[in-house]
Amino acid sequence: MENDCLSILDKRTNTNYEVPFYKGTIRAMDLRKIKTGAEDFGLMTYDPAFMNTASCHSSITFIDGDKGILRYRGYPIEQLAEKCTFLEVAYLLICGELPTAEQLKAWVNKVTHHTMLHESTKHFLEGFRYDAHPMGMFISTVAALATIYPDARNIHDAESRRLQMYRLIGKVPTIAAYTYRHGLGYPYVYPDNDLSYTENFMNMLWRMAEPKYQANPVLARALDVLFILHADHEQNCSANVMRSVGSSQADPFVATAAAAAALSGPLHGGANEEVLRMLDEIGAKDHVPAYIKGIKEGKGKLMGFGHRVYKNYDPRARIIKQTAEQVFEITGKNSKLDIALELERIALEDEYFVKRKLYPNVDFYSGIIYQAMGFHPEMFTVLFAISRTAGWLAQWEEMVNDPEQKISRPRQIYTGHEIRDIVPMEKRGSSAISTSRP
Ligand code: CMC
């Protein structure tokens, strides 16, 4: 026991406790036995933003932030991006192994046959204003699917869970494409089952009057690679939301919508949209030094830089840079690339960024590619959400099957008033906070 436990001396009571190590951690519940007396609740840990708390076991994604390593189910992201399709990777994330040819065929077939949206969903989308943000439409529409598939509440049935996964992975590109066409005022294009996942998505986005849309194979593959890179990232903010909402046994549609809402924030998936705004604001390569000076003086953050886990180059950003070159050969170079490269060059040499280990993350270059392909910035986070749906579902499935998981419910350190009596209205002083509008 001596070497496989942590010895804690509580100086309040002069009591020594032995807390066993558990897979390189200690179980927070073991600290509860550290008490000052029978009335004491027991010791808790305080960890805002979960900076040092493992909330689950997971065998899906491995990240070594110091070395810049990302693996799904043990496979390096570089190999997956080179050798697999997005749907193959989605299978890997959810089922745990790469599919055989036969398994992949059946998986693709299932997903493809769930791409169609119920007509009432189409009408639901039509209710949004012409300028509604696509991410708001996406989140609401994914949640609305729960009303069409009430069987999704049957979360303890493995077969039912799998059916909802086919539905979600199949339908998110359709919803995304419809949000895009809604903004443009174009009629919606129904899915085409003869096409691959990304070709079908491109067809639903960009087909106009032609009888058959021909996606450029280089662009379709680039989109597939971007989907692979974004498919999962262990316990990030949105995966944590997926697990947390799912832990209440809510159905996977509303849990996915909640995860997508978390993704939409500018510190998470919304960063790709913000990067483009930032590059527009900078305007030209020679304005970069002044912009970086402003950031160092505390005027905002360099969007697309920094990461909670990576303290080295984000391996996804490296692959995206290569993908960008292939895309630009077809589309022509995005003029923002020069500004981005200059920003990266200066930031990586600058003491402020070096000291804080701030490197470009996945969002730094993805928006530049998406824009070159024809997407406007409001769509970028929706594209992220399409592929992350596979990761969220893998995290959800793992959580549902984990016997140790219960409803998520953190503790707090209460800092409010002690008990007090209500003062009658006429005796309340002016110190009460005003709730009237200015
Ligand atoms: N620009 C300038 N300074 C930064 C940046 C940045 N992008 N990111 C972190 N810092 C500074 C921060 O001010 C702090 O400095 P100090 O020690 O002087 O207070 C230090 O670096 C540590 O940062 P932090 O905010 O404590 O780090 P965090 O782990 O809480 O935040 C982050 C991680 C990704 C939210 C943050 O780096 C950030 O806001 N980056 C910009 C937004 C972004 O690109 N997000 C996408 C993340 S990757 C994809 C995804 O998750 O969806």
Side-chain angles (χ1 to χ4, degrees):
M1 183 77 173
E2 233 170 50
N3 291 333
D4 49 18
C5 74
L6 180 71
S7 187
I8 300 176
L9 174 65
D10 185 347
K11 290 208 170 173
R12 297 171 302 178
T13 57
N14 235 357
T15 311
N16 202 64
Y17 296 88
E18 305 226 302
V19 178
F21 287 118
Y22 175 72
K23 297 179 193 273
T25 71
I26 55 166
R27 285 183 177 269
M29 282 304 284
D30 283 344
L31 298 178
R32 280 278 186 88
K33 63 184 176 198
I34 303 179
K35 295 181 176 206
T36 51
E39 295 289 293
D40 188 355
F41 179 76
L43 197 64
M44 295 192 299
T45 56
Y46 172 59
D47 189 11
F50 305 126
M51 298 283 285
N52 196 34
T53 295
S55 63
C56 61
H57 294 112
S58 185
S59 58
I60 304 170
T61 293
F62 173 79
I63 301 175
D64 183 329
D66 292 325
K67 295 194 183 126
I69 290 174
L70 170 62
R71 295 180 200 139
Y72 298 159
R73 303 278 187 191
Y75 296 104
I77 192 68
E78 293 79 6
Q79 287 187 31
L80 293 166
E82 193 192 330
K83 300 192 166 115
C84 296
T85 62
F86 168 69
L87 281 186
E88 209 177 337
V89 169
Y91 181 101
L92 171 72
L93 289 169
I94 290 169
C95 305
E97 293 295 339
L98 281 170
T100 61
E102 208 177 307
Q103 286 166 331
L104 182 62
K105 197 169 162 218
W107 172 258
V108 171
N109 190 278
K110 286 283 189 194
V111 171
T112 306
H113 284 87
H114 284 95
T115 47
M116 194 78 106
L117 290 179
H118 195 282
E119 284 296 291
S120 66
T121 316
K122 216 174 83 178
H123 300 317
F124 175 80
L125 270 162
E126 276 159 11
F128 284 102
R129 277 176 62 112
Y130 68 95
D131 60 352
H133 194 289
M135 200 55 191
M137 289 192 265
F138 181 87
I139 294 164
S140 319
T141 312
V142 171
L145 291 183
T147 65
I148 296 174
Y149 305 110
D151 57 310
R153 283 186 224 142
N154 195 5
I155 65 141
H156 295 298
D157 179 332
E159 236 176 82
S160 168
R161 285 202 303 277
R162 186 53 58 87
L163 172 61
Q164 315 316 326
M165 290 188 205
Y166 295 138
R167 285 174 170 158
L168 269 159
I169 298 171
K171 289 178 204 314
V172 282
T174 316
I175 296 174
Y178 283 17
T179 68
Y180 177 81
R181 307 264 310 191
H182 177 83
L184 296 171
Y186 293 162
Y188 303 134
V189 175
Y190 287 104
D192 180 340
N193 287 357
D194 293 337
L195 302 175
S196 74
Y197 194 71
T198 40
E199 282 169 345
N200 172 48
F201 180 44
M202 291 165 81
N203 171 58
M204 292 187 291
L205 288 163
W206 292 313
R207 185 173 149 209
M208 297 304 284
E210 64 273 36
K212 195 88 181 165
Y213 175 83
Q214 284 290 332
N216 181 301
V218 177
L219 300 187
R221 177 61 191 155
L223 203 52
D224 213 49
V225 169
L226 285 159
F227 283 177
I228 292 171
L229 300 182
H230 286 88
D232 193 53
H233 215 228
E234 54 122 302
Q235 305 314 312
N236 55 81
C237 178
S238 56
N240 183 55
V241 167
M242 183 80 191
R243 283 178 176 261
S244 195
V245 174
S247 78
S248 75
Q249 301 184 356
D251 74 66
F253 293 101
V254 292
T256 301
L263 187 77
S264 71
L267 297 189
H268 193 4
N272 53 16
E273 186 177 335
E274 296 304 320
V275 171
L276 258 281
R277 290 194 205 296
M278 177 183 77
L279 296 176
D280 277 341
E281 195 188 324
I282 297 172
K285 206 172 145 184
D286 49 346
H287 299 165
V288 169
Y291 192 83
I292 290 199
K293 187 164 170 278
I295 299 278
K296 285 159 59 180
E297 287 165 0
K299 294 183 195 142
K301 281 186 170 177
L302 198 54
M303 298 314 286
F305 258 71
H307 199 274
R308 172 64 60 76
V309 182
Y310 292 122
K311 301 301 168 196
N312 197 326
Y313 212 96
D314 182 336
R316 301 169 299 174
R318 194 171 279 125
I319 302 169
I320 284 185
K321 253 172 118 174
Q322 291 159 6
T323 309
E325 282 164 25
Q326 293 153 13
V327 168
F328 296 155
E329 271 181 32
I330 309 289
T331 62
K333 201 169 81 177
N334 186 331
S335 57
K336 309 230 170 52
L337 181 68
D338 288 338
I339 306 175
L341 287 170
E342 182 69 352
L343 208 52
E344 178 183 336
R345 190 186 67 75
I346 297 184
L348 292 185
E349 286 172 358
D350 191 292
E351 157 85 20
Y352 174 96
F353 295 91
V354 173
K355 203 171 103 198
R356 290 170 179 78
K357 299 188 175 168
L358 300 171
Y359 291 88
N361 59 48
V362 69
D363 290 326
F364 191 64
Y365 287 106
S366 61
I368 300 175
I369 306 185
Y370 288 144
Q371 195 177 48
M373 288 171 95
F375 293 103
H376 50 82
E378 287 77 19
M379 276 302 287
F380 296 171
T381 316
V382 176
L383 300 173
F384 194 155
I386 293 175
S387 57
R388 187 54 65 86
T389 296
W392 291 328
L393 291 170
Q395 299 284 343
W396 173 70
E397 175 78 2
E398 189 174 60
M399 189 268 307
V400 170
N401 285 317
D402 183 344
E404 264 200 301
Q405 289 293 331
K406 288 168 174 272
I407 186 165
S408 276
R409 203 330 184 159
R411 293 278 175 175
Q412 64 170 9
I413 301 173
Y414 178 68
T415 56
H417 290 279
E418 290 299 324
I419 187 166
R420 51 184 182 158
D421 291 322
I422 292 176
V423 177
M425 187 70 80
E426 63 280 10
K427 290 194 180 154
R428 287 181 207 166
S430 56
S431 61
I433 295 165
S434 168
T435 53
S436 60
R437 282 166 190 243

